[in-house]
């Protein structure tokens, strides 16, 4: 009996250490499933539509603009609910006002651009007319969108709840005045997705391993305010 009691006393600290180490490992494990969905969701399509729109405007290409409009019209955008936003960091001084956030390619404003570009081309006019007359059929994909303005040198953090084993996407579309970075962190501070600062639209795609809260961070690099759109979907 004495030997058994002595053995228990010797094992107790070791067991406690192992249990503590296991808990620490679990706390540090990133909330990230090992596999990622191969299918693009609505947020990815919104980012692609914006990229096509930007290329169309830069090149004056009505065909690309029509493609952007068609892609964007297949997605229903709804205002975000349930996200909380905090802003950190000191804004760089004397910053000029930024431009408005880029328009949704499905908006009447962009459709008017397409009509203007196709003004003297009957084939392009037919393409644009086809978009105007098009009525969406079936259930459309839905994405949620937040619009905000961020000063250079600051970071916006959006707190978002996500479900485990459900693919998630976050698309960032800035006005192009300054570079914007996009990253997503889990509750333990682990980075589950990150895109280096840049002016083109950015996209983060991942699948949480379990239910939890995530911080979606938008960082403004530069000396000018930036209007942006943050789109979520899955």
């Amino acid at each position: 009996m004495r030997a058994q009691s002595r053995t228990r006393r010797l094992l107790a600290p070791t067991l406690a250490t192992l249990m503590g180490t296991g808990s620490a490992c679990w706390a540090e494990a990133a909330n990230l499933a090992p596999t990622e969905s191969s299918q693009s969701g609505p947020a990815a399509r919104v980012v692609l539509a914006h990229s096509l729109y930007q290329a169309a405007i830069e090149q004056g290409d009505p065909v690309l603009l029509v493609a952007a409009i068609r892609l964007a019209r297949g997605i229903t955008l709804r205002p975000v609910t349930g996200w909380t936003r905090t802003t950190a960091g000191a804004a760089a001084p004397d910053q000029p006002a930024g431009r408005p956030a880029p328009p949704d390619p499905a908006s009447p404003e962009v459709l008017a651009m397409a009509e203007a570009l196709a003004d003297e081309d009957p084939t392009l006019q037919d393409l644009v007319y086809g978009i105007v007359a098009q009525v969406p059929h079936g259930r459309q994909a839905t994405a949620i969108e937040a619009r905000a303005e961020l000063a250079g040198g600051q970071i916006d953090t959006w707190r978002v709840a996500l479900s485990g084993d459900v693919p998630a996407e976050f698309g960032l579309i800035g006005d192009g005045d300054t570079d914007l970075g996009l990253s997503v962190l889990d509750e333990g501070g682990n980075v589950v997705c990150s895109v280096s600062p840049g002016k083109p639209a950015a996209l983060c795609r991942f699948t949480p391993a379990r239910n939890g809260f995530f911080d979606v961070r938008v960082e403004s690099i530069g000396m000018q305010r930036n209007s942006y759109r943050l789109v979520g979907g899955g």
Side-chain angles (χ1 to χ4, degrees), residues 1 45 56 66:
M1 292 293 292
R45 280 176 271 170
V66 168

Side-chain angles (χ1 to χ4, degrees), residues 199-214:
K199 290 182 180 179
L203 177 69
C204 263
R205 299 179 63 200
F206 64 97
T207 301
R210 56 189 180 276
N211 296 348
F213 285 93
F214 290 79

